[in-house]
Amino acid sequence: MTKLFLGPALYLALCMATANAHESLTQLPATQIYLRGAMTYRNITDNTSARMIPGALLGGEATAPEKSLQLDDIQLVGHYLADDSFAISAKISGHEHNGDSSLTLENIWLTWGLNKSLIEIGRITTDITPTAYYHASESAFNEASLLSDVFFGRHFNDVGVRVKSSLHNINAGVEGWRGSAWPSANNEGAASAFASWQPVFYNSQFTLKTWAMNATSADRRDDRYTNAHTHGSTAIVSSAANIGFTGETQLFGAFASIEHTIVQTRMFAELEWIVSNLNGTLSDDNNQSSQIDAEYSGSRALLGIASQHHQWTVQFDNLILKNHFLTAVNQQFLQQTGLVNNGTNPQKLMFAWQWDFHRDLSLRAQWQSEKLSEDTVEYGSLGIVWNTAIDGARLRHR
């Protein structure tokens, strides 16, 4: 199915790249270096078990919060503008989990401007929605949304190619992926496409966006807490670690936002909806298997206000998880998959206050209430965020 989706997507990419769009989508990134990071202390009951969301398969980076002072992420991002039509970019990033830390070359890509379209190729993240990649230093919150965890494993990052262009206020793009990032696995391929409209009315900036993704998986496993994961801990074991999913995942989403500024006060809101359809086979290491047809839908609503050096943001996430097993399975296998939720719809409410007390430093306090099963967990967190940029002019004169 991915190959059927990928063929037309790449053909559309070629047409967009050679089309004579009337307006450029964006300028190439300027020569610059950014240093971002976030460190947080969470006042949560000490958790030594794997993060599970009953009713949904998990993977990627969707790990459990910990009661400790933790380096959530650190990023060193660099862009080099070689000429008016070509740029090279890279990101080195790291974070800490369960006492283990990692530092990797997360992204490296080339950006090429062609006929007022942009072509990006390399190890990149997706442009379909910001929910697909969570970094604490780039977010309004210390924690990722439930939608990010379930649909994208918290952080989508893969080798691929993207072509995007614009016409007036409409932006569109297509992406082709190797297929090594959740929800795909084992280099089986994935493809995505998106389109957005960004009008301005009465000094308010609107964004309306829709997108689709198709991903293929072969024996996709939950390797978040195993040696297969670069910074996982073998002391924690997921109950679904030996469950493999083979099949297709189709995702569709819609996103809307508005931002309005009055004097020195900025007000903003976001609404997002994502639905995912899974069709394939679940199997374990004991040769037990079952055909599964599942539909997960999620919604996210955010409201925020920023005035001078302070920002207040609230967000509510809601998931509806439906799993249909098409072949008979025993209860032990069913429990092992982690897909039994007894009709519970996971929810998460977060409220954050951020104080920019320095040009490059911010203090962020957060309270959240999370209900993944019958129990509700509430806790607070306090973190510091830094974001420093070195402009191109300073770089060239060093």
Side-chain angles (χ1 to χ4, degrees):
M1 182 68 183
T2 298
K3 293 180 177 64
L4 295 177
F5 186 93
L6 184 59
L10 292 180
Y11 175 77
L12 178 59
L14 182 61
C15 293
M16 290 173 61
T18 56
N20 187 19
H22 294 144
E23 301 175 17
S24 63
L25 179 67
T26 184
Q27 294 182 350
L28 289 165
T31 298
Q32 200 165 37
I33 291 180
Y34 301 88
L35 177 63
R36 302 188 183 103
M39 182 176 290
T40 306
Y41 174 78
R42 294 169 176 84
N43 185 27
I44 187 174
T45 302
D46 197 10
N47 189 354
T48 58
S49 61
R51 176 172 175 79
M52 306 299 292
I53 298 180
L57 298 171
L58 288 183
E61 304 281 345
T63 54
E66 302 170 43
K67 184 178 181 178
S68 64
L69 180 63
Q70 184 174 321
L71 180 65
D72 291 327
D73 79 85
I74 186 168
Q75 305 174 53
L76 180 63
V77 186
H79 302 288
Y80 174 68
L81 183 61
D83 55 39
D84 292 338
S85 62
F86 181 71
I88 305 170
S89 304
K91 179 199 291 185
I92 298 173
S93 70
H95 64 281
E96 182 182 19
H97 172 66
N98 197 41
D100 294 335
S101 58
S102 66
L103 189 65
T104 61
L105 180 61
E106 182 174 315
N107 300 117
I108 182 166
W109 72 99
L110 308 177
T111 305
W112 180 31
L114 176 64
N115 290 338
K116 298 189 177 180
S117 295
L118 286 184
I119 302 174
E120 297 169 284
I121 184 169
R123 185 168 185 84
I124 53 180
T125 189
T126 178
D127 260 5
I128 57 176
T129 169
T131 302
Y133 48 95
Y134 169 79
H135 278 296
S137 60
E138 299 177 82
S139 173
F141 299 100
N142 294 330
E143 309 291 344
S145 71
L146 293 180
L147 278 64
S148 180
D149 280 354
V150 168
F151 297 114
F152 300 103
R154 192 172 295 178
H155 189 71
F156 184 95
N157 191 46
D158 202 357
V159 174
V161 58
R162 172 168 52 243
V163 180
K164 54 186 180 180
S165 189
S166 71
L167 183 62
H168 304 303
N169 290 325
I170 299 176
N171 303 326
V174 291
E175 304 167 330
W177 304 100
R178 180 174 63 184
S180 61
W182 189 276
S184 55
N186 294 320
N187 302 331
E188 288 295 310
S192 43
F194 58 89
S196 65
W197 181 42
Q198 296 181 301
V200 177
F201 294 117
Y202 300 104
N203 296 322
S204 296
Q205 175 69 60
F206 291 82
T207 298
L208 300 173
K209 190 171 191 177
T210 184
W211 57 268
M213 173 181 279
N214 189 89
T216 303
S217 300
D219 195 29
R220 186 184 71 190
R221 300 290 181 112
D222 181 1
D223 65 355
R224 295 171 297 151
Y225 300 98
T226 67
N227 287 328
H229 199 64
T230 56
H231 54 269
S233 171
T234 56
I236 300 177
V237 178
S238 165
S239 62
N242 70 331
I243 299 293
F245 171 75
T246 299
E248 300 284 337
T249 303
Q250 290 90 36
L251 299 99
F252 306 91
F255 174 85
S257 70
I258 181 174
E259 182 174 318
H260 184 76
T261 301
I262 302 176
V263 191
Q264 293 184 325
T265 300
R266 180 172 62 94
M267 296 170 288
F268 52 97
E270 295 178 0
L271 289 174
E272 185 167 24
W273 171 80
I274 300 176
V275 62
S276 173
N277 296 295
L278 290 79
N279 186 274
T281 303
L282 287 174
S283 58
D284 67 7
D285 295 335
N286 296 319
N287 296 320
Q288 298 182 98
S289 65
S290 174
Q291 294 291 314
I292 183 174
D293 184 8
E295 179 178 302
Y296 305 153
S297 61
S299 56
R300 178 179 67 88
L302 178 149
L303 290 173
I305 184 170
S307 180
Q308 296 182 344
H309 301 294
H310 299 272
Q311 177 173 297
W312 299 266
T313 315
V314 61
Q315 179 171 283
F316 178 72
D317 301 340
N318 183 69
L319 293 173
I320 300 176
L321 309 174
K322 298 178 181 179
N323 295 289
H324 303 285
F325 292 90
L326 307 182
T327 51
V329 291
N330 62 49
Q331 192 65 24
Q332 181 181 5
F333 176 78
L334 194 62
Q335 293 291 340
Q336 189 181 20
T337 64
L339 296 180
V340 179
N341 64 347
N342 298 320
T344 300
N345 295 322
Q347 297 179 341
K348 188 174 188 177
L349 177 64
M350 298 187 291
F351 174 78
W353 162 69
Q354 182 165 311
W355 173 35
D356 302 329
F357 65 91
H358 183 272
R359 182 188 62 182
D360 300 328
L361 298 172
S362 301
L363 182 70
R364 185 162 64 207
Q366 178 174 312
W367 171 87
Q368 75 173 48
S369 174
E370 186 176 68
K371 183 178 181 181
L372 303 183
S373 56
E374 290 81 5
D375 299 325
T376 299
V377 177
E378 298 181 359
Y379 67 93
S381 59
L382 182 65
I384 188 168
V385 180
W386 58 93
N387 193 331
T388 303
I390 304 173
D391 60 51
R394 288 171 60 188
L395 283 174
R396 286 190 292 269
H397 286 88
R398 290 195 171 192

